[in-house]
Amino acid sequence: MSAYQHILIGLDLSTESQQIIQRVKTLFAQSSAKRSLCHVLEPISYTYGGDVPIDLTGIQNEIETQARRRLAEVGAELGIAPADQHIAIGQPAHEMHKLAKQLDVDLIAVGSHGRHGLALLFGSTSNSVLHGANCDVLAIRVKEPDEE
């Protein structure tokens, strides 16, 4: 029996996400734990602070469509059903915490870039997920292309 019953895998869908996918496959290959995928999109209006006087809905919808396609590819690779693939819009750590509670998740797996200096001071998604989670968090070290 697995130590975990339900694992939420948080991905940013960057090229580095493949490292997280491979690590999850390796670590939980023999596990019977249910797996769910999550990708959180920050609203474009957050980026521009509402200062752009145009409707960005079409762009936001296209970004979401592309994210759903990519998440479906990852889901197929990991054998995760479409019903267990989630796209949320908002602040990544907050949305992952909310989804983890809704799904009764007992482990959240996220990538960590190992930031230093000012980037560490301002925080990271994995750090925010860790400090607000009501379950275990597995931070998977993501290597930059020049580190491999």
Side-chain angles (χ1 to χ4, degrees):
M1 177 173 224
S2 172
Y4 295 104
Q5 301 304 308
H6 194 168
I7 302 165
L8 178 63
I9 306 159
L11 299 172
D12 65 5
L13 300 178
S14 67
T15 56
E16 288 86 12
S17 289
Q18 195 59 38
Q19 295 174 49
I20 299 163
I21 295 162
Q22 291 305 317
R23 186 62 54 100
V24 165
K25 284 167 102 174
T26 302
L27 289 173
F28 301 106
Q30 303 302 314
S31 172
S32 62
K34 179 176 181 167
R35 295 178 214 165
S36 294
L37 291 173
C38 174
H39 175 67
V40 180
L41 295 167
E42 291 191 74
I44 293 176
S45 61
Y46 282 11
T47 306
Y48 294 103
D51 292 338
V52 179
I54 60 172
D55 183 8
L56 300 171
T57 306
I59 296 169
Q60 186 77 47
N61 290 340
E62 181 58 30
I63 291 169
E64 186 174 343
T65 298
Q66 290 177 13
R68 285 193 187 285
R69 274 192 219 123
R70 178 66 183 120
L71 204 61
E73 292 170 4
V74 173
E77 182 178 344
L78 292 173
I80 297 173
D84 297 319
Q85 300 170 22
H86 307 275
I87 298 278
I89 297 177
Q91 194 279 331
H94 174 76
E95 294 301 324
M96 279 192 257
H97 294 151
K98 189 166 84 173
L99 188 57
K101 285 179 188 172
Q102 287 173 347
L103 300 176
D104 196 26
V105 164
D106 53 357
L107 176 67
I108 301 172
V110 293
S112 175
H113 288 274
R115 293 179 174 22
H116 304 286
L118 286 177
L120 179 61
L121 179 66
F122 290 121
S124 67
T125 298
S126 60
N127 190 42
S128 297
V129 170
L130 173 65
H131 290 290
N134 289 327
C135 62
D136 290 349
V137 176
L138 172 63
I140 299 169
R141 176 73 165 91
V142 175
K143 295 180 181 175
E144 302 297 326
D146 60 343
E147 293 179 306
E148 294 186 68

